[in-house]
Amino acid sequence: MKKFKKVKNNKKIGIVAHFTGANSFGISKPYLDFFRHFGEVVLITPYDVHIRDLDLLVLPGGPDVAPWRYMTKGDELNLAVGPFCPVRERFDQVLLPKYIEAETPIFGICRGHQTLAVEFGAKLVQDMWHESNPDHDGAKKMHEVEVLNDMMFDIANIEFKNFEVNSRHHQTVENCPENGRVIAVYNGKFADDPTEKHIEAITYFPNYPAHTVQWHPEDARDQFSIQLIGHLLSLSNEEVQVN
């Protein structure tokens, strides 16, 4: 278990909530357990009338992004596309653009990585092969990601080695938006095939204060994600130190 230093000035971190059961609404326990180490966790409802004053907005994982948000004329709908969540889609269409306009720092996870890329103009691969975590072990490392350190120099003052991540998705970002930069990739099932590289992490900094990852750091607790979150929180005031 990673140890965290307490965050200065009680940072306020909003996590987009959703229906977690037939009669429950909120976030899953791993998100709360992870992000409480960085500051005060605030639940964001897609039905909020106004956006909140946040130090960080977290876009969590979830079901597929609605395909009509990124498909263009001539694209074919893949039969493997899963059902989308109307509650999450409402947030993405109504409130997310307002948070972006307010330049709220954003950290995206899995679906959050995908939906922010779509918001900034990217398309998604509708279905891809990948190693997937077993239901009983969300933290198990499933494959290695390659860190593009030449793209990381103005985010973190350290150089990351390639490392293994968990994996619970079947869609991925097809192309990096113009205002973003790819900072980590997955070499795919066939590591010697250059066409198999998949986008695993994107930074929008310095064009926009946002970083996103395809894996689930709320389970993996990886230092790469911790450094990215710390960087975003440092932008609002004092620097966050996390061990």
Side-chain angles (χ1 to χ4, degrees), residues 87-108:
V87 172
R88 298 175 197 259
E89 291 296 332
R90 186 184 192 282
F91 174 86
D92 291 343
Q93 296 172 65
V94 177
L95 292 175
L96 180 55
K98 295 180 181 180
Y99 278 105
I100 291 174
E101 184 179 3
E103 298 186 347
T104 302
I106 297 174
F107 187 74

Side-chain angles (χ1 to χ4, degrees), residues 63-65 70 81 110-115 117-118 122-130 143 145 167-177 182 184-188 195-202 212-215:
D64 288 357
V65 176
Y70 57 85
V81 170
C110 197
R111 183 191 182 278
H113 164 74
Q114 297 167 11
T115 197
V118 168
K123 299 177 71 172
L124 301 183
V125 176
Q126 296 181 48
D127 186 47
M128 61 166 283
W129 179 93
H130 70 106
H143 65 74
V145 295
S167 183
R168 299 198 301 273
H169 66 99
H170 77 102
Q171 295 189 316
T172 188
V173 177
E174 180 176 303
N175 60 296
C176 186
V182 178
V185 296
Y186 165 45
N187 287 328
T195 65
E196 275 286 304
K197 289 186 182 293
H198 300 285
I199 297 173
E200 284 281 316
I202 295 175
T212 64
V213 299
Q214 182 60 72
W215 61 90

Side-chain angles (χ1 to χ4, degrees), residues 19-25:
F19 286 103
T20 56
N23 295 303
S24 58
F25 190 87

Side-chain angles (χ1 to χ4, degrees), residues 22-35:
N23 295 303
S24 58
F25 190 87
I27 58 174
S28 61
K29 184 175 180 291
Y31 284 100
L32 179 60
D33 283 347
F34 181 59
F35 282 100

Side-chain angles (χ1 to χ4, degrees), residues 32-33 42 51 54-55 65 68 80 95 97-98 102 147 149-150 161 165 174 181 185 188 191 195 199 206 220 233 235:
L32 179 60
D33 283 347
V42 178
I51 64 173
L54 301 173
D55 295 294
V65 176
W68 47 263
L95 292 175
K98 295 180 181 180
V147 180
N149 280 300
D150 57 331
K161 296 181 180 179
V165 298
E174 180 176 303
R181 292 176 293 151
V185 296
T195 65
I199 297 173
L233 289 172
L235 298 177

